[in-house]
């Protein structure tokens, strides 16, 4: 829950960011709005704190998002990302991740098994190969050749949830999300899902990263939006960046994150741009997506942030230049 002090601080930050945007247009150099980091879902304040350690020292946004995303990847309690992620219908934990920097460099891994930190492998794909995407066994072989350790990512508790699911084996992404949400709140846990993280560093550069175990109980080999550049994540240092969470099939259909960034390019604020993407998706898919959740977060180069989701319940975590955490609930369409 956001308290009043934090809310006021955030409102002041937002007002400051608007002012800074005006200064930017007037050619006045920016400083106060950065650094900052924002992530999908409230529990990722912990991930933001790790990113902040880098940003606060004047480090690079790229390093910050990598470090930040590694936090839920290593957390066995987080059943949507990395170690402890829920498996596919065959009981295999397959991970998707990507990373993108301010120069348009990007790397991605899809359907990667046995590696706790897919975001690090994605960064290596970006930096050490002439490619953007590696998938499945190829991604695993690349990771092993680069010193990553092969591990069992299926925790006892995720295995138990999978075995319970096997009894009915009913698969529907909307249902699965609802089921997981109920399970988590029954355990007194906050809602937690795929992490998409965007950071703006002190130099004025933006980077982003995204990591997920994808939809629980998916078909083996299924890949969602999260590791797809332009769908789950997009960065353009002249404009801003966006990332998505929720049912990836819906995000892919509208090239979600790219759509948000392009809307910002043509004058929308981050929140308006996220709303435009959700509206476009809903127009296309009305009647088929009411039981699903999709959310976007975005940041522009002036340091303004925003979010929007299809339905109620999407939260995001921010750390602004004053170094304090703010958790917000996104506005929603239906
Ligand atoms: C996917 N977008 O694989 C991911 C899942 C997700 O919140 O974001 N869940 O479709």
């Amino acid at each position: 829950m956001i308290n009043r002090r934090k809310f006021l601080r955030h409102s002041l930050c937002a007002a400051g960011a608007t002012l800074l945007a005006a200064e930017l247009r007037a050619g006045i150099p920016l400083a106060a709005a950065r650094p900052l980091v924002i992530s999908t879902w409230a529990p990722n304040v912990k991930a933001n704190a790790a990113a902040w350690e880098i940003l606060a020292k004047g480090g690079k946004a790229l390093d910050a998002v990598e470090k930040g995303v590694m936090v839920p990847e290593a957390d066995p309690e987080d059943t949507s990302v990395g170690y402890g992620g829920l498996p596919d219908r065959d009981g295999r934990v397959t991970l998707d991740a990507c990373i993108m920097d301010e120069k348009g460099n990007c790397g991605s891994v899809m359907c990667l098994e046995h590696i706790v930190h897919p975001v690090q492998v994605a960064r290596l794909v970006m930096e050490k190969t002439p490619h953007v995407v590696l998938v499945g066994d190829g991604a695993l072989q690349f990771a092993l050749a680069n010193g990553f350790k092969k591990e069992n990512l299926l925790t006892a508790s995720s295995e138990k949830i999978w075995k319970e699911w096997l009894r009915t084996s009913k698969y529907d992404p909307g249902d699965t999300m609802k089921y997981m949400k109920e399970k988590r709140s029954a355990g007194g846990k906050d809602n937690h899902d795929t992490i998409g993280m965007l950071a703006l560093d002190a130099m004025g550069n933006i980077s982003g990263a995204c990591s997920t175990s994808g939809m629980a109980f998916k078909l083996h080999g299924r890949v969602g939006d999260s590791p797809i550049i332009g769908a789950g994540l997009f960065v353009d240092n002249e404009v801003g960046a966006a990332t998505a969470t929720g049912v990836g099939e819906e995000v892919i259909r509208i090239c979600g994150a790219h759509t948000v960034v392009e809307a910002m390019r043509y004058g929308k604020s981050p929140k308006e741009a996220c709303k435009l993407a959700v509206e476009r998706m809903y127009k296309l898919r009305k009647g088929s997506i009411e039981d699903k959740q999709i959310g976007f977060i975005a940041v522009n180069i002036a340091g303004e942030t925003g979010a929007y989701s299809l339905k109620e319940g999407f939260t995001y975590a921010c750390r602004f230049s004053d170094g304090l955490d703010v958790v917000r609930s996104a506005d929603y369409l239906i």
Side-chain angles (χ1 to χ4, degrees), residues 41 96 177 193-194 212 214-215 222 224-226 244-249:
W41 304 108
D96 299 333
M177 290 185 94
D193 256 302
T194 295
T212 188
M215 299 303 301
R222 178 267 187 192
D225 61 314
S226 304
T245 182
V247 178
E249 282 75 2

Side-chain angles (χ1 to χ4, degrees), residues 241-242 255-265 270 273-274 276-277 296-298:
C255 292
H258 184 260
T259 294
V260 173
V261 172
E262 290 308 290
M264 291 194 289
R265 188 190 309 281
C274 293
L276 178 143
F296 293 100
I297 60 171

Side-chain angles (χ1 to χ4, degrees), residues 96 110-111 135 218-219 221-228 248-249 252:
D96 299 333
M110 301 181 183
C111 206
V135 303
K218 61 196 174 186
L219 278 175
R222 178 267 187 192
V223 171
D225 61 314
S226 304
I228 300 179
E249 282 75 2
I252 291 170

Side-chain angles (χ1 to χ4, degrees), residues 146-165:
N146 280 282
F148 287 83
K149 251 179 57 205
K150 191 169 177 179
E151 317 217 24
N152 174 24
L153 304 183
L154 186 63
T155 56
S157 81
S158 286
E159 186 172 10
K160 188 166 164 254
I161 295 171
W162 168 61
K163 287 197 169 145
E164 274 170 32
W165 175 82

Side-chain angles (χ1 to χ4, degrees), residues 47-71:
N48 286 357
W52 194 256
E53 281 177 24
I54 289 171
L55 294 172
K57 285 188 224 139
K60 288 173 64 179
L62 180 68
D63 296 325
V65 294
E66 181 189 14
K67 274 278 152 359
V69 163
M70 286 169 70
V71 172

